Amino acid sequence: MTLRHSLTAILCTMMLAVVAPLLAQDAGPTVTVDSLLREMVDMSRLATAPAPGENSDQQSSYDRASVAPDKDGWFANGDAGKFIRAEEHDGRTEHVMAEMDGPGAILRLWSANPDGGGTIRIYIDDLQTPALEADFLALTSAKMAQFPAPFSGRRARGANLYFPMPYQTRCKVTVEKPGLYYQVGYRTFPAGTKVQPFSMAVLPTVQDTMAQVAAILENPAHTFTTAGASEMRDTFTVAPGQALEAVDIPGPGAIVRMLVGVDVPEASLADALREALVTIEFDDEAKPCVWVPLGDFFGSTPGINPYASLPVGMNAEKVCYSNWYMPFQRSARITIRNESAVPITLDAALWVRNDPWQPGKSLYFHAGWRKEWLPEDPRFVDWRMLEATGPGRFVGVMLGVMNTKTYWWGEVDEKVWVDDDTFPSYFGTGSEDYFGYAWCSPGLFSHAYHNQSIVTGPGNFGYTAVARYHILDDIPFQK
């Protein structure tokens, strides 16, 4: 979406879950706006294996010259105003952004220039009368009373709407103006799933649920996952070069919340958070499911950068939290090894619930970390963030950048291949667009699903940390 590239050192944390082969699953209860709203804050759902036929996709305004990695145009950058087609309706032209077969649900809209869309229309099932007809800018900028913050809003110049709009058979999304940058994220349910289609008439019936969900999304650092859980708390110091087995938990159960206060001299804090390694082992897995530096695990780098997202966050008092749901069958073991030069004192709390392990359905939580220097010569590359085998769900990433140039570091598009894809299920319009902001803005923002927690500057120079968490719009994969 923007113009320039630079030398970067990039670090990222990937969150996913994988499990043994699936058992047969039925289509389940009827999907409604209310049930999908509740999924927006349901961390335990992410640890359930995806059913066959369940998938997540994105349609966007990516440059259609991008056809294949071995063809010219793979990194083409004309990412505005690319539509499926134009249609005539009642004397007006509508540009088709996305069209999908059901059963499914729209989960996310994003744009860098929401004033470039004019009227958006979302057609559901009969494709004749719009279920929603609104000004695109108002819809994605919290200017409509029906879609208030935190479901909608502008963050660092990016316009966002996270709100579920289910459909039974078909869905089509159009705008009137032709120059829009856009992304439409959606989920497809297994064949046979019953869906209560979205309409504006449904909204008054879900106001109580919207209020409950909004309260959590607006204050995700607040405890909301610990009902029925037992608390374990301890304070300990890990000397340089030493490892401390913080806790060994018998199963079955699930870790539902972690809280860690960090006591390290300010001058050594960034190094300590990078050089203290957290590992979590579940059951008889051949290697740790979690292997991540302490600070990166809680979603930002370097140091403590206050922000609050739904799964992880940090505050100015150097307290970090995690709300990831981590089930296990027999045992969970958490170890912290200090490879820094200073002692690290941690005030840690853990909440564990005696949830049963469901063979063939429960998923282990995984988090990994990698670091790579990209070439000083500015050029486009497909930088692999994750390759994983399933079944599982991709649920989030934190990307840390150390940029040695003063200009923008991220003019690349996210691409996600799932299972037998020959072309990405997700093909984006720019790195910052994936993270929900726009125009390489260095503005800090904090939201339940995405954030930019540090930009040292000036401009895009120095350290940047951005994250996006796929809670409602997780990406399931079978293989």
Side-chain angles (χ1 to χ4, degrees):
M1 188 184 71
T2 43
L3 301 176
R4 306 188 74 176
H5 188 51
S6 63
L7 170 66
T8 58
I10 303 183
L11 316 113
C12 65
T13 304
M14 286 75 65
M15 315 295 185
L16 64 146
V18 292
V19 72
L22 295 174
L23 302 177
Q25 299 184 10
D26 58 34
T30 299
V31 174
T32 66
V33 173
D34 188 89
S35 69
L36 291 170
L37 283 167
R38 296 178 188 277
E39 289 185 9
M40 295 182 75
V41 293
D42 184 358
M43 304 302 291
S44 64
R45 181 191 69 85
L46 301 173
T48 303
E54 179 185 354
N55 60 70
S56 179
D57 293 278
Q58 174 177 282
Q59 298 187 36
S60 77
S61 58
Y62 78 92
D63 193 321
R64 287 352 186 221
S66 300
V67 175
D70 60 346
K71 303 291 185 182
D72 290 342
W74 185 239
F75 297 110
N77 196 37
D79 291 330
K82 303 301 189 296
F83 297 97
I84 297 172
R85 64 182 177 275
E87 298 179 342
E88 296 299 317
H89 286 273
D90 298 327
R92 65 177 180 267
T93 300
E94 296 184 27
H95 302 275
V96 180
M97 304 162 62
E99 56 182 354
M100 301 81 80
D101 291 327
I106 294 174
L107 305 177
R108 173 182 180 260
L109 298 175
W110 167 91
S111 180
N113 61 333
D115 56 341
T119 300
I120 182 173
R121 293 176 176 87
I122 298 179
Y123 297 86
I124 285 178
D125 292 349
D126 70 3
L127 301 189
Q128 299 301 314
T129 304
L132 181 147
E133 187 171 6
D135 178 73
F136 191 92
L137 174 63
L139 177 66
T140 55
S141 302
K143 301 300 184 183
M144 290 182 65
Q146 299 94 328
F147 302 98
F151 301 102
S152 175
R154 299 288 294 274
R155 290 178 272 280
R157 302 184 68 186
N160 299 265
L161 176 71
Y162 282 95
F163 196 91
M165 300 182 189
Y167 46 91
Q168 182 67 67
T169 58
R170 295 175 295 177
C171 182
K172 181 171 67 176
V173 186
T174 73
V175 289
E176 285 193 12
K177 292 183 179 181
L180 191 68
Y181 290 93
Y182 68 86
Q183 297 178 1
V184 180
Y186 61 99
R187 191 195 307 175
T188 301
F189 305 115
T193 300
K194 299 300 182 183
V195 172
Q196 180 188 76
F198 169 84
S199 71
M200 295 297 285
V202 171
L203 295 182
T205 71
V206 296
Q207 290 303 299
D208 288 348
T209 301
M210 285 182 64
Q212 294 167 17
V213 171
I216 295 172
L217 296 178
E218 288 173 339
N219 187 14
H222 180 73
T223 301
F224 69 97
T225 60
T226 59
S230 300
E231 179 183 351
M232 307 165 66
R233 187 177 289 272
D234 197 6
T235 299
F236 49 87
T237 300
V238 188
Q242 299 297 308
L244 181 69
E245 189 174 291
V247 64
D248 202 339
I249 311 164
I255 299 170
V256 297
R257 183 170 169 86
M258 300 170 65
L259 203 65
V260 177
V262 181
D263 186 2
V264 176
E266 190 66 35
S268 304
L269 182 61
D271 288 343
L273 290 173
R274 168 51 46 77
E275 295 169 8
L277 184 68
V278 179
T279 59
I280 305 179
E281 300 168 89
F282 296 122
D283 299 334
D284 301 319
E285 293 288 280
K287 60 182 181 180
C289 292
V290 174
W291 187 89
V292 180
L294 181 63
D296 296 63
F297 178 82
F298 291 106
S300 189
T301 186
I304 294 287
N305 306 297
Y307 80 96
S309 284
L310 197 71
V312 283
M314 307 171 165
N315 66 28
E317 286 70 46
K318 301 180 184 177
V319 176
C320 308
Y321 68 86
S322 164
N323 291 316
W324 290 117
Y325 182 86
M326 307 180 194
F328 53 93
Q329 185 173 12
R330 288 174 294 278
S331 65
R333 175 173 296 176
I334 303 174
T335 303
I336 298 176
R337 182 172 185 85
N338 182 9
E339 297 290 354
S340 77
V342 299
I344 300 175
T345 298
L346 302 175
D347 181 14
L350 195 68
W351 285 262
V352 179
R353 195 161 59 223
N354 294 326
D355 291 353
W357 178 267
Q358 302 180 70
K361 292 186 178 181
S362 294
L363 300 170
Y364 292 114
F365 175 84
H366 289 242
W369 178 84
R370 63 171 295 200
K371 172 181 177 179
E372 184 173 338
W373 286 91
L374 296 185
E376 183 173 7
D377 174 33
R379 59 187 174 90
F380 289 104
V381 296
D382 277 329
W383 187 72
R384 186 168 299 181
M385 291 167 51
L386 173 69
E387 184 170 7
T389 55
R393 299 180 187 272
F394 174 67
V395 295
V397 58
M398 184 276 288
L399 178 68
V401 179
M402 195 281 283
N403 185 7
T404 63
K405 308 296 184 183
T406 57
Y407 46 80
W408 176 232
W409 51 265
E411 192 42 50
V412 290
D413 306 328
E414 84 274 11
K415 305 179 182 78
V416 183
W417 285 264
V418 175
D419 294 336
D420 297 322
D421 280 348
T422 57
F423 191 81
S425 294
Y426 278 63
F427 201 123
T429 54
S431 297
E432 74 273 48
D433 308 350
Y434 170 74
F435 292 103
Y437 63 116
W439 306 113
C440 10
S441 171
L444 302 184
F445 66 95
S446 180
H447 183 266
Y449 293 157
H450 57 144
N451 62 75
Q452 184 163 237
S453 55
I454 180 175
V455 180
T456 56
N460 299 119
F461 178 80
Y463 290 102
T464 295
V466 288
R468 178 167 166 198
Y469 300 110
H470 295 258
I471 307 304
L472 181 64
D473 60 338
D474 63 279
I475 304 177
F477 52 99
Q478 295 293 348
K479 294 183 295 184

